[in-house]
Amino acid sequence: TDDVFMGYRGYGRNGAEPLFAFGQGGSYTTFELGPAELGDDHMSVAVPVANVGGRSGACTVQVYVRPPADSPWLRPNQELRGFAKRNLAAGERAVVTVDLDPLAFSVWDRHVGQFVIDPGRYGIAVGSSSADIDQVLDLDVLATGR
């Protein structure tokens, strides 16, 4: 009966707060994410990352897609659609690029037996876990179909 609302997708829908959010990792250092930018093809997100802590560590940048508010489909409020992990020494900075699959904006239409894409304004949420979203970029998707 959970359908697509299992795990973090269900917690977001029901307003539940888990002890550890999906994607939350432990680290002995601290990272800061800079302003994210969509690639020219809108199928990648570039995020400046800085290790502002005193130790080396690995940062995983996660990208979630939020469907249009007026979507006719029953969908989670956000779904993980890409991530990239980068090791950084203390004080090191880098740009982490997360590639998105062409199906990142799609939903399965069981009536036609294929993935379809709702046109509308999507949110591209960037953060370090499903609950720690640092920023959201808007992307207008006009195409439908696959």
Side-chain angles (χ1 to χ4, degrees):
T1 61
D2 289 340
D3 199 21
V4 296
F5 298 103
M6 295 180 0
Y8 76 94
R9 297 171 181 162
Y11 296 144
R13 179 180 192 206
N14 300 324
E17 198 169 315
L19 183 58
F20 297 102
F22 176 76
Q24 178 181 342
S27 181
Y28 293 104
T29 193
T30 306
F31 297 97
E32 287 183 356
L33 303 182
E37 293 184 10
L38 288 169
D40 292 337
D41 60 357
H42 298 143
M43 295 310 294
S44 65
V45 181
V47 184
V49 178
N51 181 343
V52 296
R55 297 175 182 240
S56 295
C59 177
T60 302
V61 176
Q62 300 172 32
V63 175
Y64 295 82
V65 172
R66 296 178 175 176
D70 60 351
S71 175
W73 302 96
L74 182 62
R75 297 177 78 168
N77 63 352
Q78 66 182 15
E79 294 180 276
L80 180 68
R81 294 301 195 198
F83 62 92
K85 185 176 182 178
R86 179 73 185 263
N87 291 314
L88 296 173
E92 186 178 2
R93 297 175 181 275
V95 174
V96 176
T97 300
V98 178
D99 294 319
L100 298 174
D101 184 274
L103 296 176
F105 305 98
S106 67
V107 63
W108 180 257
D109 184 339
R110 63 185 176 96
H111 299 294
V112 297
Q114 70 179 17
F115 286 97
V116 296
I117 299 174
D118 274 338
R121 179 161 288 184
Y122 285 77
I124 309 300
V126 179
S128 56
S129 78
S130 63
D132 186 15
I133 299 300
D134 187 62
Q135 55 199 297
V136 180
L137 306 172
D138 288 328
L139 176 63
D140 289 321
V141 175
L142 303 175
T144 61
R146 182 174 188 259

